[in-house]
Amino acid sequence: MIKGNTLVNYNRNKIKHDIKYDVIFKNIFGKFGNEKYIKRILELILKINIQKIDVGHDITIDKVKETEKGAILDIRAIVDDRIIVNIEMQKEKRGNIIERTEKYGANIFVRNMKKGEKYEDAKEVIIITILDYKIFENKNCITDIKAVLRQNNDIEVKTKIKRYFIELPKITEEQIDMEDELVQWLVYLNGKDRRLVEMAIEKNKMIKEVDEQVYYLQGKEADERLEEMQENWEYMIASVKADSKEEGKIEGKIEGKIEGERNKTISIAKKLLQMKMKKEYVLEATGLKEQELENLV
């Protein structure tokens, strides 16, 4: 069922390319000059007002390794100089998605701590994973992982790492209000119901602008444009590999590990353990040895 105004006729042909295709998603929402789109989406999801946002991409060596296995590179946003938001669009189902985001959140947190910075002063990390499939049994389109932990009677702890999962197929399974701006964005990203997509485009000026950029990727020169975009990403990946090898950061080692600050490393490890982070993830994020970690438990 749909609430809102009736659909206004929209004459455009069906979009050839899916916005969930990783190259298109990154080049639209991670493109310089397009910051306002991801800013608005984050405001709606996180229910905050964002004054400043810097948008880039996460192309560190650990993500390069995932890309080689079929994963995608992510969009990274720094919100008001205090929150790191990582956004990933995932089309293909992966059985370890929940554990993978937990691990990746810990890596980002540790990687971005400054020398001498206290845990309490470090930037908050938010992982937003947009899925083209369902993973939870609840009916919510957007799931805060803390709510899942509460359902499983796990202890809720204060944490600087938050994770949200957006299951796009759920957006049309329940009654939706097409006057709701977040619903409009999710319907558009889902893209499965063309009638709803056209309604979202008609009602939302920003979505219409994004749609025009996606539309640009169809037509006679579409394949050349996509090929050029893909080549740009492959070049960026190759550059990261080269830099990582030069700096000795191979075999999945994380950039920005805490340099020789043993006390700080131990403090962070304790915090991660208190957050119920799995030991193997804490070991990877901090670089501690297994016996060293056992001594902290």
Side-chain angles (χ1 to χ4, degrees), residues 56-184:
H57 305 97
D58 184 39
I59 318 180
T60 49
I61 190 64
D62 43 325
K63 292 304 294 182
V64 168
K65 285 182 173 294
E66 288 187 10
T67 302
E68 292 174 335
K69 297 175 183 178
I72 67 170
L73 304 179
D74 302 346
I75 295 173
R76 174 70 56 81
I78 308 296
V79 175
D80 294 334
D81 295 323
R82 62 185 181 85
I83 303 174
I84 302 171
V85 182
N86 195 84
I87 306 134
E88 175 181 350
M89 175 69 77
Q90 188 70 251
K91 279 183 66 67
E92 296 183 6
K93 192 168 186 177
R94 300 183 65 184
N96 65 341
I97 187 69
I98 296 177
E99 292 184 350
R100 188 169 64 84
T101 56
E102 180 182 8
K103 170 184 173 183
Y104 193 44
N107 290 349
I108 293 174
F109 181 78
V110 173
R111 193 166 63 213
N112 284 276
M113 286 197 73
K114 297 178 181 177
K115 186 175 181 178
E117 186 176 39
K118 295 180 180 179
Y119 173 88
E120 292 75 13
D121 298 329
K123 288 184 174 67
E124 181 181 349
V125 173
I126 298 177
I127 307 293
I128 297 177
T129 308
I130 306 174
L131 305 170
D132 200 25
Y133 54 89
K134 295 185 286 186
I135 58 173
F136 298 117
E137 294 183 359
N138 62 41
K139 296 181 179 180
N140 301 328
C141 183
I142 301 178
T143 298
D144 179 348
I145 195 64
K146 288 195 298 183
V148 176
L149 293 177
R150 284 195 295 269
Q151 287 178 355
N152 294 331
N153 296 319
D154 287 351
I155 299 174
E156 184 178 359
V157 295
K158 290 188 71 174
T159 172
K160 280 185 167 287
I161 304 172
K162 298 179 180 178
R163 291 178 290 154
Y164 294 86
F165 294 90
I166 301 178
E167 300 163 272
L168 292 177
K170 290 182 178 180
I171 189 61
T172 56
E173 292 182 352
E174 299 293 322
Q175 181 176 358
I176 58 175
D177 182 2
M178 285 304 293
E179 297 301 321
D180 186 310
E181 189 178 354
L182 180 55
V183 169
Q184 294 166 4

Side-chain angles (χ1 to χ4, degrees), residues 25-37:
F25 183 79
K26 291 191 298 285
N27 277 271
I28 289 179
F29 291 106
K31 180 181 177 182
F32 179 77
N34 279 2
E35 294 88 352
K36 64 179 181 179
Y37 304 128

Side-chain angles (χ1 to χ4, degrees), residues 37 40 44 178 180-185 198-211:
Y37 304 128
R40 187 57 187 147
L44 294 168
M178 285 304 293
D180 186 310
E181 189 178 354
L182 180 55
V183 169
Q184 294 166 4
W185 277 107
E198 292 170 356
M199 188 180 290
I201 292 170
E202 183 65 31
K203 289 177 175 293
N204 192 308
K205 181 181 177 181
M206 282 193 180
I207 293 178
K208 186 173 183 180
E209 292 172 357
V210 167
D211 186 64

